[in-house]
Amino acid sequence: MLGLIKIALWEVRQTKSGVDPRAATLSLLLIAAIAAAGWSTSQFGFHTGDKLYTVAVDEEHLAEIIRTNPKFDVTTGGYNATKRFDLLIKRGVVTYQGDERSIAALDALDRTIREYDEERLIAKNDIPNAFPVWITINYLPRIQSFNLPTTLPHEDETSDSEDIYIIVPQEEDEERRATLPTPQPIVPTKETSRGRNIFQFDSQNIATPSKIEPPLPFRSVVLTFFFIFPIHFIAQFYSASIMNERVRKSGSLLLTAPIRASEIVLGKMLPYLAITLLFTILIGVAVGGNHRIVPLLLPVILTFLSTSFLAAVLARSFKELTFILVFLSVSLSGYLFLPTIFVNVHGVSTISPMSLVVELIEGEKIKLAEYLFATLPLYLVSLLVFTFGIFIYRDEDLFSQKSIPSKLIDSIEVFLTRLNEGYFSVFSLSALLIPIAFIFQLVAIVLLFNLPIETSIVLFVIVAALIEEGLKPLGIYTILKRKPETSFRQSAMLGAASGLGFFVGEKLIVLIVLISIADSIYGTAMGIGLLIPPLILHTTTTTTSALLTRRAGVKFYPLAVAIAATIHITYNLYLLRGAINV
Amino acid sequence: MYNPILTIARKELSTLFSEKTLILALLIQLFVASFSSLLIVGLTSLYDPETLKGQTTSNAEIGVLGYQEKLVSLMEEEKINIHYYNDLQRALEAFDRGRIDAILTIPDDIDPGGTEIIRLTLYLPESDIKGTFVVMQIKESLSKFESFVREKRSHRIDFTPITLHVEKMPKKSAKYFEFIYTILIPLLVFTPIIISGGLVVDFITEEVERHTIEVLLTAPVSLPQIIAGKITTAIAIVPPQVAAWLFFLDLTNTHVANIPTIVLHSTLIALTIILTGSLIAIEYPNRSTAQYIYSLTLILLFTTSYILPDSPLNLTTRLAAGSIDPEETLTHLTLYTTIPIILYLSLHAKITRSNYTLRHHISD
């Protein structure tokens, strides 16, 4: 513990003295310039697709109107007849070409004219005659469900045959009824119909028909980026610090000191964690949240920090580090950001803690089950990534040019040796790999979510099986690689132990978090709910791949995984036969 | 013939392949692309909500309280299924049970020709995708109702709307056109460029931080040659990636015009970005500092390009959509050729100064 604090203080001193004052000034200038540029786009609008469409008009008056939309490149008067225009306007008649661009131009022309008319009407300053119709919009919460809309049976159908079709009970919510907004006559003013602030979280507004905007997930997307930006940047500095230890070989000196590797790694992390938390709180308060944002974002920060640490340990060169970090950031951001689009739409959105952040800022209460569901996978993953990374935070891995897979195998080997390389060690490894498999599968759900439901289920079954079958025998692979003399019987037993470990781990996860997702069709695909068949499945597939690897050699590991996965896929498709008609 | 620049370039390229960095880079691009294409509906609706209109497979079920002949007939024209209710409570119960997706209340005393503002109330499901569909469907009829009322009252404000005629309305729709050409294609073209700029920063700072630059300089190569070699590698990998993405899009029935010109344009922009990256790396040979400054510079360049009406992003859009003539393209490309030349000259001037050494400005 003392070592931890020592290292943390040392890291702060080191970084402080290492800051290049010119770079610091430049970065402040750049940030100011970005803020100015961002402000000006928010004031004067984005320029995208300027002069995308060509249009020829015979009247100057009309040309002026069309020019209000910068997307049009307008030609007037004696235009060249040989040139091709997307739209030709002669004496008030529009001619268009048959291609997509021309049709899109027609849509844009329609919008431009409507907007121009609206502007003229606003100038009349006579609301009852110019804007005679006003609509007050009230948004009402509706109970969300995990059921995918396309597979939800109609409510008055009696469906009892398939347990994967779960009808979400429509709870009577008396409290909600009481807080229902009552329509109030509000005298419309000009401001209410124009311009909207993204940080306005009120759920009632009033508009003319053309200004009604459908509910959009824009706020959550913007919010996610606000939070992820600093988290990503600071994690980069942490990984740079670890990488520097390796490049400058100063890490070697630290390792000989009477401090444990875990103290070095976590001690170096503490300052970065503290700064990120500070930023998070500042941003949280700025966007209208409060300190309760911290427990929601803590697992996100830890995931970023732990993966950046592992990347710094694994990478052989700077460019490799950059690429791994970008790759991790892109996939993590995707994992965090994609589900937020479905906030209040679909239960799956609560996979991402960012969805909960949005809900918190909107003033909703967060249930403990939701919190666990969104954060536990991330907590577990960061814990595991740190643990396995620390295993290889030693001379032979830090200062060598070993490839990434062989370093990962090294860390698994350390884990197995600490548990005497017995059946128990592979059992525990499989159980511990569950959160990793779980995260990958959740990413797969997120990615496959938008495909047609039948395709997405089949693809998910395949991807999920490959992930599980690839991870389960990793321990056995490591043992067989080191000790090819392991007997056939032992390999079979190791396979069974590993499969059992995965099964136990899976059931534990279910107990803790998956209660809410287990009823959905994806839950069924993940093999949750039944007891004996998945146990048999996991042990059979893992034993199969263990024996195949033992017989054919570790080189054929991918093939063994593919065969085991095929068994797994067949089993899962059989389970889901009712839903996908195969 | 021995060419030190090419030798350095080849060395860097081979480490890119042996470390499988390039595979990771392509994977990143695939991720970015698949995110956007998987989200094409979600993001396009974010970009322009009206595009969702074509996605409705079923009609909106709307509960209505009150009655107005014209409004109701306009809603029926839009194929909205209307359910009448006598009181709000009953309608809300149906809303909760999912029987209807929105409630519209129409006051009893509507007088289209009168002088009073007409106030309607709409209840929608909160941020629900159903809510989006309903709004799309009901917006049209409400707008038409507004025009109807406005016309009745127009004699008081002296207003005639601009009318244009279209002989035959197109049957096809081009809803994703603007998304594909103004967002997706520039995104795919610029990702390889951003990656290459980051690469060159790593190429240069790595030699300095690992002190290998001193070793390298004892060989018969000069510092400008080393830097030129690294820039060559970073630039060489851009055109194949861009071309591959554009051909891929073309295969998926998204017509991309002017592919060779886009590849040329993106190569010129890549040169600008890579030279900027090199200048930053030479100025700040500490990797984390250089990468940080590089990222900030990139963000600044991107935000600025959205302020300008004619940015490299927009040139990509117009080239891909085929809505720019060759003369104008030439003007743009000439400008984008001069920028890297100026950058290269200043880079060269900097590293050939007699007393110049590439070293950490901070102590190790």
Side-chain angles (χ1 to χ4, degrees):
Chain A
M1 196 59 206
L2 201 67
L4 196 82
I5 292 158
K6 241 186 226 165
I7 297 278
L9 291 173
W10 181 76
E11 178 73 19
V12 172
R13 259 202 315 280
Q14 183 84 351
T15 319
K16 245 194 209 159
S17 70
V19 172
D20 181 342
R22 287 179 318 131
T25 324
L26 181 63
S27 90
L28 286 180
L29 284 175
L30 283 169
I31 291 169
I34 291 165
W39 176 83
S40 101
T41 47
S42 72
Q43 291 297 304
F44 308 111
F46 282 89
H47 276 280
T48 50
D50 282 25
K51 290 193 243 160
L52 181 59
Y53 309 119
T54 49
V55 52
V57 197
D58 54 354
E59 287 169 64
E60 188 54 47
H61 165 67
L62 206 52
E64 278 311 308
I65 298 170
I66 300 173
R67 279 199 192 99
T68 57
N69 185 345
K71 283 194 175 109
F72 286 107
D73 188 1
V74 188
T75 314
T76 49
Y79 47 83
N80 185 353
T82 55
K83 206 186 152 192
R84 179 203 176 281
F85 288 99
D86 293 324
L87 299 174
L88 257 171
I89 309 174
K90 259 186 187 171
R91 289 184 212 94
V93 179
V94 185
T95 327
Y96 61 91
Q97 321 262 352
D99 64 336
E100 258 196 271
R101 191 174 84 215
S102 193
I103 295 167
L106 195 63
D107 284 349
L109 180 71
D110 184 45
R111 277 199 302 270
T112 312
I113 302 241
R114 279 192 203 204
E115 274 164 27
Y116 176 76
D117 273 349
E118 289 252 315
E119 288 297 315
R120 281 199 305 155
L121 283 166
I122 287 169
K124 298 279 181 195
N125 217 354
D126 179 352
I127 289 168
N129 291 319
F131 294 99
V133 180
W134 286 80
I135 295 128
T136 309
I137 300 170
N138 292 305
Y139 291 105
L140 304 179
R142 252 207 302 209
I143 298 152
Q144 301 173 42
S145 74
F146 256 104
N147 294 67
L148 295 156
T150 41
T151 56
L152 189 74
H154 205 266
E155 55 172 73
D156 28 47
E157 271 175 35
T158 43
S159 103
D160 50 14
S161 51
E162 290 295 336
D163 59 352
I164 43 180
Y165 291 130
I166 302 287
I167 304 166
V168 171
Q170 303 289 331
E171 304 154 33
E172 269 311 311
D173 199 336
E174 288 303 325
E175 201 185 330
R176 185 162 64 95
R177 186 65 75 240
T179 57
L180 200 72
T182 43
Q184 288 170 349
I186 301 165
V187 179
T189 58
K190 260 190 207 168
E191 284 114 283
T192 45
S193 67
R194 317 183 72 192
R196 274 169 53 169
N197 183 352
I198 51 159
F199 295 125
Q200 247 176 299
F201 288 99
D202 54 342
S203 60
Q204 185 174 34
N205 64 36
I206 175 162
T208 63
S210 55
K211 296 283 182 201
I212 300 180
E213 280 174 42
L216 278 185
F218 193 55
R219 294 172 308 204
S220 27
V221 176
V222 172
L223 267 181
T224 311
F225 275 102
F226 269 132
F227 283 109
I228 289 182
F229 241 49
I231 296 178
H232 163 82
F233 267 118
I234 298 167
Q236 293 256 328
F237 280 104
Y238 175 48
S239 74
S241 163
I242 299 278
M243 190 70 177
N244 276 343
E245 297 285 338
R246 298 180 51 200
V247 168
R248 296 178 193 161
K249 305 256 153 74
S250 51
S252 189
L253 284 173
L254 258 184
L255 280 174
T256 54
I259 308 171
R260 277 185 298 175
S262 59
E263 285 177 325
I264 301 174
V265 171
L266 298 177
K268 282 171 89 71
M269 181 202 71
L270 279 182
Y272 299 97
L273 179 65
I275 296 172
T276 324
L277 281 176
L278 187 72
F279 268 101
T280 312
I281 294 169
L282 287 178
I283 296 169
V285 170
V287 297
N290 53 34
H291 62 277
R292 271 187 293 176
I293 255 176
V294 172
L296 288 174
L297 285 166
L298 183 66
V300 177
I301 298 170
L302 286 175
T303 313
F304 267 86
L305 286 174
S306 64
T307 48
S308 311
F309 156 69
L310 188 66
V313 173
L314 294 177
R316 274 161 298 177
S317 69
F318 284 177
K319 31 191 190 302
E320 203 168 51
L321 177 59
T322 305
F323 278 98
I324 300 175
L325 285 177
V326 172
F327 181 74
L328 285 173
S329 283
V330 169
S331 22
L332 274 176
S333 310
Y335 173 78
L336 293 170
F337 144 82
L338 283 181
T340 60
I341 297 215
F342 307 101
V343 175
N344 298 327
V345 177
H346 197 278
V348 100
S349 77
T350 42
I351 279 180
S352 165
M354 295 315 293
S355 301
L356 296 184
V357 169
V358 174
E359 285 182 15
L360 185 81
I361 291 174
E362 284 177 347
E364 277 173 46
K365 282 203 186 92
I366 291 160
K367 292 189 206 85
L368 185 67
E370 281 179 324
Y371 177 76
L372 288 177
F373 179 59
T375 57
L376 202 66
L378 292 179
Y379 275 124
L380 289 175
V381 164
S382 30
L383 183 71
L384 268 181
V385 170
F386 266 128
T387 314
F388 278 84
I390 288 166
F391 281 156
I392 46 171
Y393 198 84
R394 52 181 189 182
D395 278 345
E396 55 179 293
D397 285 296
L398 287 184
F399 308 109
S400 70
Q401 288 289 312
K402 282 189 191 172
S403 73
I404 296 176
S406 69
K407 279 189 189 172
L408 286 175
I409 293 297
D410 271 4
S411 74
I412 291 174
E413 203 185 304
V414 174
F415 175 83
L416 295 176
T417 7
R418 294 221 176 154
L419 292 173
N420 299 324
E421 286 191 336
Y423 301 129
F424 181 67
S425 69
V426 281
F427 171 88
S428 336
L429 182 73
S430 287
L432 283 173
L433 285 175
I434 295 272
I436 308 271
F438 185 53
I439 281 275
F440 279 130
Q441 290 178 338
L442 289 182
V443 170
I445 290 185
V446 167
L447 280 173
L448 298 172
F449 186 74
N450 268 359
L451 293 176
I453 180 73
E454 295 199 352
T455 327
S456 108
I457 289 292
V458 174
L459 278 176
F460 180 72
V461 166
I462 296 171
V463 173
L466 280 172
I467 293 168
E468 290 184 9
E469 294 310 323
L471 287 173
K472 275 189 293 180
L474 270 179
I476 304 158
Y477 170 83
T478 312
I479 292 177
L480 284 175
K481 199 175 177 186
R482 276 185 12 132
K483 292 187 204 150
E485 72 278 5
T486 311
S487 78
F488 209 78
R489 213 187 119 257
Q490 271 177 316
S491 308
M493 292 293 285
L494 284 171
S498 170
L500 183 68
F502 201 84
F503 170 80
V504 171
E506 196 173 72
K507 291 302 151 195
L508 275 177
I509 284 257
V510 175
L511 281 178
I512 308 166
V513 277
L514 281 183
I515 302 141
S516 45
I517 199 181
D519 285 343
S520 87
I521 193 159
Y522 283 122
T524 315
M526 283 164 91
I528 297 152
L530 298 164
L531 271 177
I532 304 303
L535 175 62
I536 297 169
L537 173 76
H538 281 308
T539 44
T540 318
T541 52
T542 321
T543 314
T544 310
S545 50
L547 291 179
L548 284 169
T549 314
R550 157 78 178 68
R551 172 53 63 85
V554 284
K555 258 192 225 155
F556 292 92
Y557 179 66
L559 186 71
V561 167
I563 292 170
T566 313
I567 303 175
H568 198 139
I569 292 164
T570 318
Y571 168 81
N572 275 355
L573 287 181
Y574 174 75
L575 266 195
L576 287 164
R577 66 200 179 281
I580 48 177
N581 311 315
V582 280
Chain B
M1 204 185 79
Y2 171 74
N3 186 330
I5 297 180
L6 282 184
T7 315
I8 303 257
R10 225 175 284 134
K11 185 205 117 205
E12 291 292 0
L13 204 59
S14 74
T15 57
L16 276 188
F17 282 109
S18 71
E19 282 182 354
K20 301 189 183 71
T21 323
L22 224 51
I23 295 173
L24 212 51
L26 289 175
L27 221 69
I28 293 167
Q29 292 169 45
L30 192 71
F31 241 95
V32 172
S34 70
F35 273 3
S36 25
S37 57
L38 274 169
L39 269 180
I40 201 152
V41 176
L43 267 190
T44 316
S45 69
L46 179 100
Y47 177 69
D48 180 4
E50 303 228 347
T51 51
L52 274 176
K53 236 163 76 179
Q55 296 288 312
T56 39
T57 45
S58 57
N59 300 330
E61 309 282 337
I62 293 180
V64 171
L65 280 92
Y67 188 77
Q68 210 290 329
E69 203 185 340
K70 183 72 189 170
L71 181 57
V72 165
S73 74
L74 283 170
M75 280 164 69
E76 277 163 356
E77 255 173 56
E78 289 290 320
K79 300 202 172 52
I80 290 170
N81 294 341
I82 300 173
H83 304 256
Y84 292 100
Y85 292 91
N86 288 327
D87 65 302
L88 189 61
Q89 204 57 36
R90 295 281 300 277
L92 285 167
E93 276 164 25
F95 173 85
D96 269 355
R97 268 182 284 123
R99 218 178 270 274
I100 52 174
D101 296 317
I103 305 163
L104 181 71
T105 61
I106 308 170
D108 296 326
D109 51 349
I110 287 184
D111 177 12
T115 51
E116 290 292 305
I117 288 173
I118 297 169
R119 289 196 187 91
L120 308 173
T121 310
L122 187 62
Y123 294 89
L124 290 172
E126 191 178 57
S127 310
D128 193 314
I129 217 85
K130 279 254 177 67
T132 313
F133 289 149
V134 170
V135 170
M136 275 9 301
Q137 286 202 322
I138 203 170
K139 193 177 169 177
E140 199 60 39
S141 29
L142 288 173
S143 284
K144 281 185 183 152
F145 182 65
E146 186 189 38
S147 306
F148 165 78
V149 178
R150 198 178 269 156
E151 209 182 302
K152 286 233 165 183
R153 298 176 179 188
S154 64
H155 58 276
R156 291 189 209 123
I157 54 165
D158 177 35
F159 175 83
T160 29
I162 291 167
T163 44
L164 289 171
H165 300 280
V166 180
E167 301 266 285
K168 209 166 70 186
M169 282 307 278
K171 286 204 177 65
K172 283 191 289 181
S173 68
K175 289 182 172 102
Y176 296 130
F177 181 83
E178 287 194 6
F179 168 75
I180 291 171
Y181 288 90
T182 62
I183 294 179
L184 192 63
I185 293 180
L187 190 73
L188 286 174
V189 168
F190 279 78
T191 324
I193 298 179
I194 296 166
I195 288 176
S196 268
L199 260 184
V200 90
V201 172
D202 281 341
F203 283 158
I204 296 172
T205 53
E206 179 139 44
E207 298 277 9
V208 182
E209 290 212 18
R210 284 196 195 273
H211 300 286
T212 40
I213 194 104
E214 284 96 336
V215 186
L216 210 54
L217 282 171
T218 56
V221 286
S222 65
L223 186 61
Q225 283 174 329
I226 295 175
I227 305 283
K230 291 178 186 301
I231 290 172
T232 311
T233 309
I235 193 76
I237 59 172
V238 173
Q241 294 179 73
V242 173
W245 279 123
L246 296 179
F247 279 121
F248 176 70
L249 273 181
D250 219 36
L251 282 181
T252 58
N253 286 332
T254 305
H255 176 66
V256 186
N258 300 316
I259 293 183
T261 321
I262 299 175
V263 173
L264 174 69
H265 164 60
S266 62
T267 312
L268 289 172
I269 299 301
L271 252 182
T272 309
I273 299 289
I274 290 166
L275 284 164
T276 310
S278 317
L279 271 167
I280 293 170
I282 284 165
E283 195 62 32
Y284 306 102
N286 174 295
R287 177 182 164 271
S288 42
T289 314
Q291 284 288 8
Y292 174 61
I293 299 283
Y294 171 72
S295 317
L296 286 179
T297 312
L298 265 189
I299 297 169
L300 179 63
L301 288 176
F302 265 86
T303 357
T304 326
S305 75
Y306 280 118
I307 305 176
L308 303 171
D310 266 317
S311 66
L313 290 169
N314 198 41
L315 182 59
T316 312
T317 298
R318 292 175 72 195
L319 281 171
S323 49
I324 185 167
D325 49 41
E327 296 90 66
E328 205 188 337
T329 313
L330 195 66
T331 332
H332 284 283
L333 291 186
T334 319
L335 173 71
Y336 297 142
T337 316
T338 47
I339 300 172
I341 291 176
I342 296 168
L343 285 173
Y344 183 74
L345 290 177
S346 54
L347 177 83
H348 195 79
K350 193 171 168 62
I351 53 181
T352 43
R353 265 198 317 243
S354 55
N355 60 347
Y356 185 81
T357 44
L358 193 52
R359 190 187 299 130
H360 268 288
H361 293 279
I362 51 158
S363 57
D364 284 71

